Amino acid sequence: MAGMRTARRISRFIAGGAALAAAGWVLREVPAELGVRPLDSGPERAARMRRSPQFRDGTFVNPMPEPTHLVDGPPVSVLAELARDKNQRRPAGPVPMRVPPSDAPPADGLRAVWYGHASTLVEIEGRRVLFDPVWSERPSPSQLVGPKRHHPVPVAIGELPQVDAVAISHDHYDHLDRATIRSLVRTQKAPFLVPLGIGAHLERWGVPAFRIIELDWEEEAVVAGLRFVSTAARHFSGRSLTRNDTLWGSWVVAGPSRRVFYAGDSGYFEGYKGIGAAHGPFDLTLMPIGAYSPAWPDVHMTPEQAVDAHLDLGGRLLLPVHWATFTLALHPWGEPVDRLWHEAKARDVALAVPRPGEAVDISEVPAVDSWWETLG
């Protein structure tokens, strides 16, 4: 009996120690995850932000009609729905994966490797660009809560090939991940291209200032012989209750002959036609197709709207992103790509739907084989 009491005391002691350790981790790590207020991060950055046509009354705004939904969080009805029908919002079995290629990027070609959600490596005319890398298990300020991955990342972050640039679309947790950024600082030498204000987060997380390139919409920079243009998106930003203190956007990446468009997160807007006219046509568009909802129609596109935007941009091949990896909305897991495939066939749009880790070479695009249907 005395032995059992001792064992229980030890068990309670260990549990208490674990709880204290977890609390200590939260107190230490979560504030760093939230980033910083860019206007308080230095006069030069603050002055650039205030000069932006997108900056008004202390925050960034959309020049197209302002979002009317998801201003202060999802409606209570949506939160209630999230607790029901969970099985429909996850794959029914393991998501098939592929080992990413390890050979050199094609010197005059264009190839893309989708790692899951929005994280994508684009190899364009011998250079490599990594978009919105997120390697963490949860897109959240704490790895103790939040949606978990439905599949692993196909390659360990330390095994990534050396990239020439890392491009970030906005500061939401499923697109800007502190742990991933800190790893890339150690394992890569490439600069980070980000919309205005996000450099403040990166600096706090240990990215040297000389590796940060902050751009407003329609500003551009040349990195490794590629032209990067920060372009518009219809979205919002924020890593805490404070909203829109950093800019969001999309990216044009142009080599001597090839052009790629990455939409980031965005609702559909007429501005895609202007981006296509000014910077297109594009050999490849990376378009978000998931996490849509009637509760927030202005900030995420439906799959059909992604096709609309792709055509507005003058896109040749559409590669869908922002689906399959995290459950961020109420729609069934496979619905986004089912709807996309139906729309693409109806409108004669060239489509690639790779498995995580699978390379897509635009010169040899594999036929869509509906690999997701057994999991949906």
Side-chain angles (χ1 to χ4, degrees), residues 3-342:
M4 292 178 62
R5 285 197 298 268
T6 300
R8 284 197 293 268
R9 290 194 198 103
I10 292 172
S11 177
R12 287 196 294 270
F13 177 79
I14 292 173
L20 287 173
W25 181 90
V26 169
L27 290 173
R28 182 180 69 253
E29 298 295 328
V30 169
E33 294 281 354
L34 299 179
V36 298
R37 283 188 56 80
L39 283 177
D40 300 332
S41 65
E44 183 177 347
R45 177 177 289 111
R48 284 196 66 201
M49 292 170 61
R50 291 191 174 100
R51 288 196 301 267
S52 170
Q54 283 64 248
F55 196 77
R56 188 184 311 152
D57 299 326
T59 61
F60 289 100
V61 299
N62 287 302
M64 64 288 291
E66 280 294 304
T68 56
H69 299 77
L70 200 64
V71 174
D72 296 312
V76 173
S77 60
V78 173
L79 296 175
E81 286 291 330
L82 282 170
R84 296 195 290 268
D85 300 323
K86 290 182 179 180
N87 288 338
Q88 293 186 17
R89 296 191 292 275
R90 59 168 66 104
V95 175
M97 312 241 298
R98 294 291 183 267
V99 177
S102 57
D103 58 329
D108 57 356
L110 177 56
R111 186 168 67 179
V113 180
W114 176 60
Y115 295 126
H117 197 58
S119 303
T120 309
L121 180 71
V122 170
E123 298 177 330
I124 174 171
E125 297 182 282
R127 306 297 186 186
R128 291 188 174 106
V129 181
L130 183 61
F131 290 103
D132 284 357
V134 173
W135 258 249
S136 287
E137 186 70 11
R138 302 176 190 265
S140 169
S142 169
Q143 291 300 296
L144 302 177
V145 296
K148 287 188 69 173
R149 285 184 170 276
H150 296 311
H151 64 83
V153 188
V155 61
I157 194 163
E159 296 175 2
L160 278 173
Q162 286 297 302
V163 302
D164 296 283
V166 180
I168 305 295
S169 63
H170 64 295
D171 72 357
H172 286 158
Y173 289 97
D174 58 323
H175 294 258
L176 179 64
D177 177 59
R178 173 176 170 256
T180 301
I181 296 297
R182 287 167 62 87
S183 293
L184 291 174
V185 170
R186 296 191 301 269
T187 59
Q188 300 280 340
K189 299 178 181 178
F192 295 81
L193 293 106
V194 298
L196 284 179
I198 293 179
H201 297 327
L202 301 190
E203 286 178 355
R204 177 171 185 181
W205 300 340
V207 181
F210 71 86
R211 288 181 62 180
I212 300 172
I213 301 172
E214 286 183 71
L215 299 177
D216 199 353
W217 291 352
E218 294 304 320
E219 291 183 342
E220 60 183 70
V222 175
V223 176
L226 300 174
R227 184 169 65 94
F228 290 80
V229 186
S230 173
T231 44
R234 187 182 190 185
H235 202 54
F236 66 107
S237 67
R239 296 178 70 81
S240 65
L241 296 178
T242 302
R243 293 288 178 88
N244 299 342
D245 56 357
T246 63
L247 186 59
W248 50 93
S250 54
W251 287 102
V252 170
V253 182
S257 303
R258 305 289 191 176
R259 297 186 182 199
V260 174
F261 179 79
Y262 171 59
D265 271 3
S266 181
Y268 178 79
F269 66 108
E270 292 293 323
Y272 285 120
K273 295 176 182 176
I275 295 172
H279 305 292
F282 295 98
D283 300 282
L284 176 69
T285 69
L286 306 174
M287 304 303 297
I289 65 165
Y292 49 83
S293 171
W296 49 84
D298 305 310
V299 296
H300 282 165
M301 285 184 275
T302 64
E304 294 80 10
Q305 289 172 326
V307 172
D308 288 337
H310 169 82
L311 292 172
D312 289 347
L313 291 159
R316 173 184 166 194
L317 176 68
L318 191 161
L319 194 157
V321 299
H322 207 264
W323 79 284
T325 306
F326 302 113
T327 295
L328 302 175
L330 295 175
H331 57 69
W333 178 82
E335 181 185 282
V337 73
D338 276 334
R339 288 173 55 174
L340 179 72
W341 195 25
H342 181 272

Side-chain angles (χ1 to χ4, degrees), residues 353-365:
V353 185
R355 297 156 180 78
E358 185 176 2
V360 174
D361 190 318
I362 68 161
S363 65
E364 302 177 72
V365 180

